[in-house]
């Protein structure tokens, strides 16, 4: 308590809508004035014709007015003691430091007979209603944090030094990316969905000479066709209905830095033309404007589509493709970088545990060697994103500290594959061996099922829809498939 700020205490004591029979003031300094202050409060009560109250100043044993640890101990002691003695305990929130106020509210809310008051700028007492269950709000906040982390993209460290590259494939990719980062040429990152194209773009930016300038990111596939031009190149007030003010587009916002265009294959042909001009000449024209602006932006683009095929089909401009494809990086799929899997799993596990630790009662988990072995045998068509989602489900549903193959198998999702009906044409004199063709297909599926099930015949039989365990054994003998011991 600062005894120079006694107005709040005296106002609450003399003007509140109920009377006090005891007033306890906590102070940690100027003990020589405590007696005078006690008399001052009593005179204020008498002047307001209030009943006489027991007014006492007590020492607060705190290390400093902003030391949360010692303030918490003292607050818990006094609120606990006084709330047990009183029918109703009123806590003054106006006096003291923010740390004192915060802890008074947190601790006081746990007592059913505690009320809170403060004074207005005009020195009038005001009842404070704090309609929060802090325990519930904390739990909800922690749960939302976990949900947000679980549904967001996994964040493998962006710096090149921390990117997982144990496998030869990824070492080669990172080596190329480092060279690309040091240059100023546009970059095109290719790879299946979920392989970490955005993280690679961030790494290239952070390792470039533009690292101190903005990095702006946009998913071109998520943009409404009517808004793409405005979002990328900006617009002027009145350019269209709803354009109530000037808007600097992403090119202008990224001036001096990097613009990452994810899923660039989704851009329409007319936007491709304007993008080509921005790349070739460094010029943009905001929608509704006649003045051209000069921008200095490095473009890093990414897609999981086959842009060369799109060029052949006429859906992607050839000149734009070659402008972007100066520095090409192709990220390998997860099944092509098995050596990286243990470290990737470790990183993702740490992220999930870091998010979960905020949830009361959460127990950190880890993946067993058996679990790592199971993971390495799965195809992961969704790559790191699919692995991230699977680990989150396993951690959510299992009570075990160590997650193994069984727990992972229980949460694996089966994604239906789109059927491809290909027309088969044969020339008049062509000959085919149908038995050999079907045997080759059967062999590939049996081998894939055995691999995915870690050579557990019972599960492989179920995956293949075969009648029983013996049927699978007969197929393996016929197709010349042996299980390595």
């Amino acid at each position: 308590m600062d005894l120079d700020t006694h107005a709040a205490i005296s106002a609450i004591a003399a003007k509140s809508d109920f009377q006090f029979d005891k007033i306890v003031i906590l102070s940690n300094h100027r003990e020589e004035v405590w007696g005078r202050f006690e008399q001052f409060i009593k005179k204020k009560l008498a002047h307001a014709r209030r009943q006489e109250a027991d007014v006492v100043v007590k020492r607060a044993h705190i290390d400093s007015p902003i030391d949360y640890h010692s303030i918490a101990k003292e607050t818990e002691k006094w609120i606990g003691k006084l709330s047990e003695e009183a029918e109703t305990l009123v806590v003054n929130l106006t006096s003291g430091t923010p740390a004192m106020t915060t802890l008074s509210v947190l601790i006081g809310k746990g007592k059913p007979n505690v009320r809170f008051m403060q004074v207005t700028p005009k020195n009038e007492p005001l009842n404070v209603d704090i309609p929060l269950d802090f325990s519930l709000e904390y739990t909800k906040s922690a749960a939302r944090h976990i949900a947000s982390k679980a549904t967001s993209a996994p964040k493998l460290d962006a710096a090149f030094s921390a990117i997982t590259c144990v496998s030869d494939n990824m070492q080669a990719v990172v080596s190329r990316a480092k060279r690309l980062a040091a240059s100023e040429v546009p970059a095109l990152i290719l790879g299946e969905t979920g392989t970490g194209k955005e993280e690679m773009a961030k790494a290239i930016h952070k390792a470039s000479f533009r690292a101190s300038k903005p990095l702006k990111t946009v998913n071109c596939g998520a943009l409404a066709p009517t808004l793409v031009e405005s979002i990328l190149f900006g617009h002027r007030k009145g350019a269209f209905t709803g354009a109530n003010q000037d808007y600097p587009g992403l090119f202008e916002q990224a001036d001096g830095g990097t613009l990452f265009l994810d899923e660039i294959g989704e851009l329409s042909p007319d936007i491709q033309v304007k993008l080509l001009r921005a790349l070739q000449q460094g010029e943009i024209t905001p929608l509704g404007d006649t003045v051209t602006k000069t921008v200095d932006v490095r473009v890093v683009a990414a897609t999981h589509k086959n842009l060369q095929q799109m060029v052949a089909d006429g859906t992607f401009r050839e000149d734009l493709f070659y402008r972007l494809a100066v520095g090409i990086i192709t990220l390998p799929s997860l099944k092509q970088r098995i050596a990286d899997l243990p470290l990737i799993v470790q990183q993702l596990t740490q992220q999930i545990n870091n998010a979960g630790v905020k949830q009361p009662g959460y127990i950190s988990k880890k993946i067993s060697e058996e679990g790592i072995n199971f993971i390495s045998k799965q195809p992961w068509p969704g790559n790191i994103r699919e692995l991230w989602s699977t680990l989150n489900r396993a951690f959510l549903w299992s009570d075990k500290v160590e997650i193994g193959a069984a727990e992972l198998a229980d949460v694996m999702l089966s994604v239906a594959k789109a059927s491809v009906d290909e027309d088969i044409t044969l020339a008049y004199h062509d000959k085919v061996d149908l038995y050999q063709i079907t045997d080759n297909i059967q062999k590939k599926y049996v081998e894939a099922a055995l691999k995915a099930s870690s050579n557990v015949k019972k599960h492989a039989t179920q995956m293949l829809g075969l009648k029983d365990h013996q049927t699978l054994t007969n197929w393996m003998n016929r197709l010349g498939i042996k299980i390595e011991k």
Side-chain angles (χ1 to χ4, degrees):
M1 181 199 76
D2 185 346
L3 295 183
D4 291 330
T5 58
H6 54 69
I9 299 172
S10 60
I12 292 174
K15 299 180 181 180
S16 60
D17 55 2
F18 54 89
Q19 301 191 49
F20 299 93
D21 55 8
K22 185 174 184 178
I23 298 173
V24 178
I25 302 156
L26 301 179
S27 178
N28 67 323
H29 70 308
R30 296 184 63 188
E31 189 170 354
E32 70 277 6
V33 302
W34 289 2
R36 295 204 304 271
F37 189 71
E38 292 170 352
Q39 294 304 314
F40 170 80
I41 297 296
K42 290 180 179 180
K43 287 181 180 179
K44 282 287 185 180
L45 290 172
H47 183 73
R49 296 184 179 180
R50 294 293 179 103
Q51 69 180 32
E52 185 176 345
D54 179 15
V55 182
V56 59
V57 181
K58 294 288 187 179
R59 174 169 294 281
H61 298 281
I62 61 174
D63 294 338
S64 81
I66 58 173
D67 180 65
Y68 279 85
H69 182 71
S70 59
I71 294 172
K73 287 179 64 178
E74 202 71 355
T75 304
E76 177 64 52
K77 180 182 77 174
W78 282 104
I79 289 183
K81 178 180 183 300
L82 296 174
S83 65
E84 289 181 3
E85 296 175 355
E87 183 178 341
T88 301
L89 174 64
V90 176
V91 176
N92 167 32
L93 298 181
T94 303
S95 304
T97 63
M100 296 174 186
T101 302
T102 299
L103 291 167
S104 293
V105 172
L106 286 172
I107 294 171
K109 281 291 290 182
K111 314 295 182 184
N113 62 336
V114 172
R115 296 175 53 180
F116 302 98
M117 294 193 73
Q118 62 187 21
V119 296
T120 67
K122 294 183 179 180
N123 214 30
E124 295 295 328
L126 181 68
N127 289 304
V128 180
D129 180 25
I130 305 176
L132 289 178
D133 181 334
F134 285 101
S135 176
L136 177 61
E137 291 301 317
Y138 177 87
T139 302
K140 286 166 59 180
S141 176
R144 284 193 295 266
H145 176 73
I146 293 175
S148 175
K149 288 294 184 182
T151 56
S152 66
K155 296 180 180 178
L156 302 182
D157 294 327
F160 280 125
S161 60
I163 284 184
T164 308
C165 55
V166 178
S167 65
D168 293 339
N169 283 344
M170 277 304 293
Q171 286 184 12
V173 167
V174 170
S175 178
R176 284 192 171 193
K178 287 179 178 178
R179 291 191 180 190
L180 190 56
S183 72
E184 284 288 290
V185 299
L188 180 60
I189 304 175
L190 305 176
E192 296 176 4
T193 180
T195 49
K197 295 186 287 294
E198 183 174 350
E199 296 304 318
M200 182 58 73
K202 291 178 181 178
I204 290 172
H205 171 73
K206 288 185 176 181
S208 74
F209 297 113
R210 298 173 179 262
S212 62
K213 298 296 183 179
L215 167 66
K216 295 296 179 180
T217 299
V218 62
N219 186 323
C220 299
L223 299 178
T226 55
L227 297 176
V228 175
E229 184 175 357
S230 169
I231 290 172
L232 291 178
F233 308 109
H235 65 252
R236 291 291 167 258
K237 180 179 179 180
F240 51 85
T241 302
N244 299 322
Q245 59 185 9
D246 291 350
Y247 170 76
L250 290 175
F251 267 92
E252 199 171 339
Q253 294 176 40
D255 193 21
T258 305
L259 177 58
F260 175 53
L261 300 175
D262 198 7
E263 297 303 340
I264 195 171
E266 303 294 336
L267 291 178
S268 63
D270 57 326
I271 298 299
Q272 292 178 30
V273 173
K274 297 192 175 186
L275 177 58
L276 179 63
R277 182 183 179 188
L279 286 169
Q280 289 180 332
Q281 302 173 18
E283 294 180 347
I284 60 168
T285 304
L287 195 64
D289 202 348
T290 57
V291 179
T292 298
K293 287 193 167 191
T294 301
V295 291
D296 173 25
V297 175
R298 182 187 191 179
V299 171
V300 177
T303 183
H304 72 281
K305 290 189 173 182
N306 187 336
L307 286 187
Q308 289 171 295
Q309 184 61 51
M310 292 179 67
V311 169
D313 295 340
T315 55
F316 198 85
R317 291 184 63 94
E318 184 177 16
D319 47 5
L320 176 58
F321 170 74
Y322 286 116
R323 185 71 187 183
L324 288 169
V326 179
I328 296 181
I329 293 177
T330 302
L331 293 180
S333 64
L334 205 52
K335 64 185 177 183
Q336 294 173 319
R337 46 186 300 208
I338 299 299
D340 294 325
L341 267 172
L343 188 53
I344 291 174
V345 170
Q346 180 183 347
Q347 288 179 329
L348 299 183
T349 296
Q350 184 176 358
Q351 290 177 32
I352 297 170
N353 283 330
N354 288 344
V357 76
K358 297 182 181 295
Q359 176 75 23
Y362 179 82
I363 300 175
S364 293
K365 300 178 176 67
K366 64 179 181 179
I367 305 297
S368 69
E369 288 298 323
E370 178 197 40
I372 295 290
N373 187 49
F374 175 84
I375 288 171
S376 67
K377 288 183 166 68
Q378 305 310 309
W380 303 113
N383 295 291
I384 296 173
R385 189 175 295 118
E386 182 186 359
L387 175 58
W388 165 258
S389 177
T390 302
L391 292 176
N392 269 284
R393 285 196 301 277
F395 280 37
L396 175 63
W397 297 127
S398 177
D399 293 326
K400 293 185 177 180
V401 173
E402 189 171 73
I403 304 297
E407 290 73 34
L408 291 165
D410 284 343
V411 298
M412 293 289 290
L413 297 182
S414 176
V415 180
K417 302 294 183 183
S419 61
V420 179
D421 296 325
E422 296 182 359
D423 292 331
I424 296 175
T425 58
L426 293 174
Y428 182 76
H429 294 292
D430 286 346
K431 293 183 179 180
V432 295
D433 187 339
L434 284 176
Y435 291 107
Q436 186 62 50
I437 292 172
T438 54
D439 281 354
N440 288 340
I441 293 173
Q442 289 174 0
K443 184 174 183 179
K444 288 181 180 180
Y445 273 98
V446 171
E447 289 176 337
L450 288 168
K451 180 180 178 181
S453 64
S454 298
N455 294 328
V456 177
K457 286 188 176 181
K458 179 180 179 181
H459 188 64
T461 299
Q462 294 171 346
M463 291 176 66
L464 295 167
L466 298 179
K467 181 180 179 181
D468 51 34
H469 176 280
Q470 186 58 47
T471 303
L472 174 60
T473 301
N474 294 339
W475 278 43
M476 292 172 61
N477 292 335
R478 175 172 60 83
L479 298 170
I481 299 173
K482 296 182 179 180
I483 295 177
E484 294 183 7
K485 295 183 179 179

